[in-house]
Amino acid sequence: MSNQARVESLQDNINRPTRYISYPKKADGKSVYTSEIFGENVFHLQQIAKALPKPAYASFLKQMRGRQALDKGTADAIAHAVRIWAMDRGATHFTHWFQPQTGTTAEKHDAFLSLKSSFSANGEEVTAIDAFSGSQLLQAEPDASSFPSGGMRTTFEARGYTVWDTTSPMFIQEGPHGTSVLYIPSVFISYNGDALDEKTVLLRSTSQIAKSACELLSLIEPVPVGAQPKTSHVFTTLGTEQEYFLIDRSLYSLRPDLKHTGRTLVGNLPPKHQQMEDHYFGRIPSKVLATMSEAELELFRLGVPVKTRHNEVAPQQFELAPIFEEASLAVDHNLLTMDVLSKVAHKNKLKVLFHEKPFKGVNGSGKHCNWSMSTDRGENLLDPTVKPETNYRFLLVLVSILHAVHQHGALLRTSIASSSNEHRLGAQEAPPVILSCFLGEHLTEVLDSIEESRPIRNFSVPEIQSIKLGGTVLDVKVASLPAIARDLTDRNRTSPFAFTGNKFEFRAVGSKQSPAFPVTILNAAVASALQDVTQALRDQMGDKPFPSDADKVAVIKKFIASTKPIRFEGDGYSDAWIQEAEKRGLPNIKTCPDAFAQLLAPEHSNMLTKLGIFTQSELQARHLILNERYAKDLVVEAATLRTLLASQIMPSAFEYRGTLASTVQLLNGIEGEANSPELSALKALTPVVKELQDAIADLDHVVHHMHSLSDDPCEEARYASEHILSSMNKARVVADKIELLLSDKYYPFPHYSELLWF
């Protein structure tokens, strides 16, 4: 890679003007309000209601809620209505949009165009028409053998199906040349009905947690015989804080490691990076702000309720966060957000990096999943209210979640395991791999007081605080400033699963991965725990028609005691916590292959199959897919690194050595130059170049051995974890030494100082 290309890219980045788009205006020239364009590219229930007769619409709503099948007539009517709506907005094609186990989405576009034949005495006449049937809306058929299936589909067993997910609305996205495409959110299953995607199991888990939660609520919220229960449905809510890096696209194109693996495999930190702590919440660079604003405009039109944007800790790292939604819809919207950010960044000549650790030495990126449970009456089951110590519904739900993490923390660790997230977890910037729960001082005191059967400690004692509903008020001792409300709990950013006021924040999820699998596992674990708590309550109440407050307290006490090991209020980054966690018997699963194995551990697999969220064959298939993807990721990284070292860094070092050697030879005839600086530089570089040769040979050896293993993804993943990672790390150390020794014009790639600052 020529130094000139790097220089030209840097100059273009400096001289390129910020992209401008025109924000939508009203007829009077004033800007439209966000609420006026929100969801304009979404085919909402309102449009379906207008298109269908009332009985057919009522039938469709029942189908959405899982109470009956969708009949052909209703499907045809919806298909006709959505085709007209989409084509009026420029749509020429439609696609079933689904989530295979690749970590991203998939789509295949089909045109609305069809041909209609008619026959007369003059022969066949063919007429072009636009058509879209109910059967095309409901179902499509991609090649199932071409996606990860864990052996459930082979090359000669290719049939699979995508099926419309009626709980997620259809939408249109911009296509080429002023056209658009109709997107139909779908699940993806095999010919035999096995889940081949992330969404099918997510929907199963949301159904199961709703059932388990309603069972508990019906027990503690009794109604007269024959009356409808107070709560008919419970759903999980999710808000995903998406972190990402934005870098110049031309510089990105000069880094083969970023292009092929999503992260830099070589490179040293610049003198200034994040140590000044001035990037977080700092002024957003103009080119980045323009990109964010354009992406938000597109997301608003797609009905994605993006709310917050800001600089993150590392240079060129940012965050976008939405308002909470129903979990499966929130997952769809997160994947849409990642897609739109990528497209808009490309238009702005930038590149989005979603990898959890694209740059060594600065903070990586996560996807903090803020999770809660709500009823069909709009009540948040994780709202502690003013007096959580007597809010038994809240406490029963809370101890159920603690029980879930205690019983299945190792399985939650599986859900966040990947080759990319492995670089981030436990690295003094992200939650550790030991799953624990942070509740905060107030809730900890509530649970302790219940367990110890004593009054709760008064939190209004400090002289600058006074009790206020929902929290406390802080007196900042400045007369011109208003009183500010303080939350009941502090935040603990070192906790992988922290209570943050009225929800839990699952902080350990990786920025690149779909949130579907982690949320599926969390839903499943909590559903199982809710069943355990409900059964304990039934056992405690005996023959009584409903449990008394004393019964509820007894059960709450039982689970407070049993889940105490999982509660931790301290520094999750500290070595002391690792030792304490071991004493508590908490699993510390350090490698991905060990984490993947938890999926088949009887205590976890039995729970998942009992609830009907996975079949045993689906679990085995997913276990193979996770191991196979992990091994492939590391082989690709090792092969990419080997190519960088052998074909670019090594030749650059040779060329620089040659220049130094020639200079030294010229200087030898000059008196006093026997120990010239050039000779010192040559002597410093030569042994490191030899080290690099050895590192390349070691990489060749481990990759060759990897290919010689039997075709067993689990064995390959374990070998990759134990040998390829360490070989790559050693090679990187040597390559980074050479970067510091080479003259700048000989280094073949953009430096961190150029990638992280513009």
Side-chain angles (χ1 to χ4, degrees):
M1 194 69 65
S2 71
N3 184 61
Q4 184 61 29
R6 200 174 100 217
V7 172
E8 289 174 356
S9 294
L10 290 168
Q11 290 173 339
D12 176 67
N13 184 26
I14 294 168
N15 298 325
R16 186 175 66 244
T18 299
R19 172 181 160 88
Y20 174 80
I21 63 165
S22 179
Y23 204 82
K25 304 285 185 182
K26 298 179 182 178
D28 60 5
K30 295 181 179 179
S31 294
V32 300
Y33 294 166
T34 302
S35 58
E36 294 176 309
I37 59 173
F38 186 78
E40 68 179 20
N41 288 342
V42 180
F43 192 67
H44 292 290
L45 277 175
Q46 294 92 315
Q47 281 98 338
I48 297 179
K50 290 177 184 177
L52 298 180
K54 287 186 178 179
Y57 181 65
S59 174
F60 174 70
L61 291 180
K62 289 180 181 178
Q63 186 280 328
M64 278 185 62
R65 294 162 186 159
R67 295 175 184 170
Q68 70 179 48
L70 188 64
D71 62 88
K72 184 179 183 302
T74 302
D76 283 338
I78 295 172
H80 176 75
V82 74
R83 178 182 66 80
I84 298 299
W85 173 84
M87 292 187 71
D88 285 346
R89 288 159 178 78
T92 57
H93 289 69
F94 66 92
T95 179
H96 277 219
W97 183 64
F98 58 103
Q99 303 167 26
Q101 294 178 62
T102 57
T104 183
T105 59
E107 56 193 68
K108 177 190 67 145
H109 297 187
D110 287 301
F112 287 120
L113 178 69
S114 187
L115 298 178
K116 181 179 180 181
S117 295
S118 59
F119 297 89
S120 65
N122 296 325
E124 181 183 9
E125 294 185 8
V126 178
T127 305
I129 61 171
D130 295 303
F132 184 49
S133 67
S135 60
Q136 289 174 304
L137 167 64
L138 292 176
Q139 180 178 321
E141 187 183 324
D143 182 351
S145 67
S146 297
F147 292 98
S149 68
M152 287 196 289
R153 294 276 83 187
T154 60
T155 304
F156 63 90
E157 296 174 316
R159 196 180 298 278
Y161 301 107
T162 53
V163 182
W164 175 32
D165 170 21
T166 58
T167 65
S168 187
M170 293 177 275
F171 57 91
I172 56 171
Q173 280 209 91
E174 178 184 312
H177 316 304
T179 66
S180 60
V181 179
L182 173 66
Y183 282 73
I184 306 165
S186 304
V187 300
F188 180 38
I189 58 175
S190 75
Y191 180 67
N192 298 318
D194 297 306
L196 296 177
D197 65 342
E198 302 288 7
K199 194 172 208 185
T200 300
V201 291
L202 174 61
L203 293 174
R204 290 174 187 169
S205 74
T206 57
S207 175
Q208 191 56 245
I209 198 172
K211 179 181 176 182
S212 298
C214 285
E215 185 179 354
L216 173 63
L217 295 180
S218 66
L219 189 62
I220 63 175
E221 298 175 340
V223 295
V225 177
Q228 289 291 321
K230 290 182 180 179
T231 302
S232 300
H233 183 64
V234 171
F235 58 95
T236 52
T237 60
L238 182 67
T240 53
E241 301 172 24
Q242 180 67 59
E243 295 176 343
Y244 59 95
F245 282 80
L246 268 177
I247 64 172
D248 180 75
R249 183 154 54 92
S250 58
L251 292 175
Y252 164 85
S253 70
L254 300 178
R255 292 287 311 216
D257 47 358
L258 278 175
K259 289 198 293 183
H260 296 152
T261 72
R263 72 180 182 104
T264 53
L265 301 177
V266 295
N268 289 285
L269 280 176
K272 180 186 177 185
H273 42 93
Q274 66 183 41
Q275 73 271 48
M276 304 302 291
E277 300 178 331
D278 57 353
H279 192 258
Y280 188 62
F281 277 29
R283 184 187 64 81
I284 302 173
S286 57
K287 291 178 183 178
V288 173
L289 186 58
T291 302
M292 288 177 167
S293 180
E294 186 176 349
E296 287 171 347
L297 178 60
E298 178 65 19
L299 290 168
F300 290 147
R301 286 171 164 157
L302 289 167
V304 181
V306 288
K307 181 74 171 177
T308 303
R309 64 191 184 200
H310 63 82
N311 285 8
E312 258 298 335
V313 171
Q316 295 309 120
Q317 187 187 31
F318 308 95
E319 180 181 296
L320 184 151
I323 299 170
F324 295 5
E325 301 177 277
E326 189 278 325
S328 63
L329 180 60
V331 169
D332 283 0
H333 281 170
N334 176 252
L335 296 174
L336 258 182
T337 297
M338 295 171 74
D339 182 52
V340 169
L341 276 172
S342 295
K343 290 177 180 177
V344 172
H346 189 84
K347 294 176 182 178
N348 284 269
K349 297 189 182 300
L350 300 175
K351 178 65 182 178
V352 175
L353 303 178
F354 289 117
H355 194 287
E356 285 81 357
K357 195 72 172 178
F359 300 103
K360 183 180 179 181
V362 297
N363 275 19
S365 299
K367 193 192 307 270
H368 303 165
C369 290
N370 295 277
W371 179 96
S372 190
M373 299 165 62
S374 294
T375 72
D376 52 2
R377 293 181 291 165
E379 297 172 323
N380 182 354
L381 295 179
L382 284 177
D383 180 5
T385 64
V386 179
K387 296 192 71 176
E389 62 269 27
T390 56
N391 185 344
Y392 299 131
R393 185 183 72 175
F394 164 75
L395 290 170
L396 286 166
V397 172
L398 178 65
V399 296
S400 296
I401 295 170
L402 295 176
H403 182 53
V405 179
H406 188 222
Q407 294 295 306
H408 300 291
L411 190 59
L412 289 169
R413 169 70 176 94
T414 303
S415 74
I416 57 171
S418 69
S419 64
S420 52
N421 208 20
E422 197 169 29
H423 295 285
R424 166 181 168 262
L425 293 176
Q428 301 296 305
E429 64 187 70
V433 294
I434 304 169
L435 268 292
S436 64
C437 297
F438 169 82
L439 297 181
E441 182 184 17
H442 189 100
L443 278 185
T444 296
E445 168 61 17
V446 168
L447 297 192
D448 288 348
S449 68
I450 293 173
E451 183 186 17
E452 297 165 12
S453 301
R454 60 170 174 79
I456 186 170
R457 180 165 59 87
N458 190 340
F459 277 80
S460 62
V461 171
E463 63 180 42
I464 65 167
Q465 299 170 15
S466 59
I467 289 294
K468 180 187 176 185
L469 293 183
T472 60
V473 170
L474 293 182
D475 180 1
V476 294
K477 303 298 184 183
V478 178
S480 61
L481 295 180
I484 60 171
R486 188 180 77 164
D487 291 320
L488 288 176
T489 62
D490 200 349
R491 290 187 64 199
N492 186 337
R493 65 184 303 273
T494 71
S495 173
F497 198 72
F499 187 77
T500 56
N502 60 1
K503 62 190 183 300
F504 274 96
E505 184 179 18
F506 193 6
R507 294 178 54 86
V509 179
S511 56
K512 189 173 76 169
Q513 74 177 116
S514 165
F517 186 42
V519 174
T520 296
I521 296 302
L522 178 57
N523 285 351
V526 174
S528 177
L530 285 166
Q531 291 180 357
D532 290 345
V533 170
T534 301
Q535 186 56 51
L537 202 53
R538 292 189 189 280
D539 294 341
Q540 179 67 34
M541 61 188 270
D543 296 331
K544 287 179 285 191
F546 54 86
S548 64
D549 285 352
D551 294 330
K552 296 172 189 174
V553 171
V555 170
I556 291 167
K557 264 188 173 183
K558 172 187 173 182
F559 283 96
I560 289 174
S562 66
T563 60
K564 211 162 188 177
I566 208 71
R567 288 161 43 199
F568 180 63
E569 303 295 303
D571 183 1
Y573 294 165
S574 67
D575 292 335
W577 167 233
I578 296 175
Q579 297 166 10
E580 174 63 23
E582 186 176 2
K583 292 178 185 177
R584 297 185 185 192
L586 301 182
N588 183 5
I589 304 170
K590 298 179 181 178
T591 70
C592 284
D594 288 339
F596 301 150
Q598 298 300 316
L599 203 58
L600 299 183
E603 64 269 27
H604 305 312
S605 63
N606 290 343
M607 178 272 290
L608 292 169
T609 54
K610 178 184 175 183
L611 292 175
I613 294 170
F614 287 90
T615 65
Q616 192 62 40
S617 61
E618 287 170 346
L619 283 177
Q620 291 169 344
R622 186 172 287 259
H623 177 250
L624 289 175
I625 290 169
L626 290 171
N627 279 283
E628 186 176 55
R629 186 194 304 169
Y630 177 82
K632 286 180 177 178
D633 282 346
L634 291 189
V635 168
V636 168
E637 287 191 354
T640 302
L641 178 57
R642 197 264 180 213
T643 300
L644 298 185
L645 300 179
S647 65
Q648 293 182 277
I649 292 180
M650 182 74 83
S652 296
F654 287 162
E655 186 177 358
Y656 185 48
R657 282 182 75 229
T659 300
L660 288 173
S662 298
T663 304
V664 168
Q665 189 174 16
L666 289 172
L667 293 172
N668 277 342
I670 302 175
E671 186 177 352
E673 291 293 340
N675 293 309
S676 64
E678 289 85 353
L679 180 60
S680 298
L682 182 61
K683 287 181 176 179
L685 180 60
T686 298
V688 183
V689 173
K690 291 179 179 178
E691 282 185 64
L692 190 61
Q693 283 183 314
D694 293 339
I696 293 171
D698 186 53
L699 274 174
D700 285 338
H701 170 73
V702 294
V703 172
H704 176 74
H705 185 77
M706 174 84 165
H707 290 313
S708 70
L709 295 175
S710 61
D711 191 17
D712 180 354
C714 301
E715 184 182 355
E716 291 174 347
R718 195 160 295 281
Y719 180 85
S721 176
E722 294 173 357
H723 299 283
I724 290 183
L725 267 178
S726 61
S727 181
M728 289 175 61
N729 290 336
K730 292 174 186 175
R732 177 171 190 153
V733 169
V734 181
D736 290 351
K737 285 182 187 177
I738 287 182
E739 180 186 10
L740 298 176
L741 294 171
L742 288 184
S743 168
D744 180 68
K745 74 175 184 177
Y746 288 96
Y747 193 68
F749 310 119
H751 298 285
Y752 272 28
S753 58
E754 297 158 345
L755 292 165
L756 289 173
W757 298 100
F758 67 79

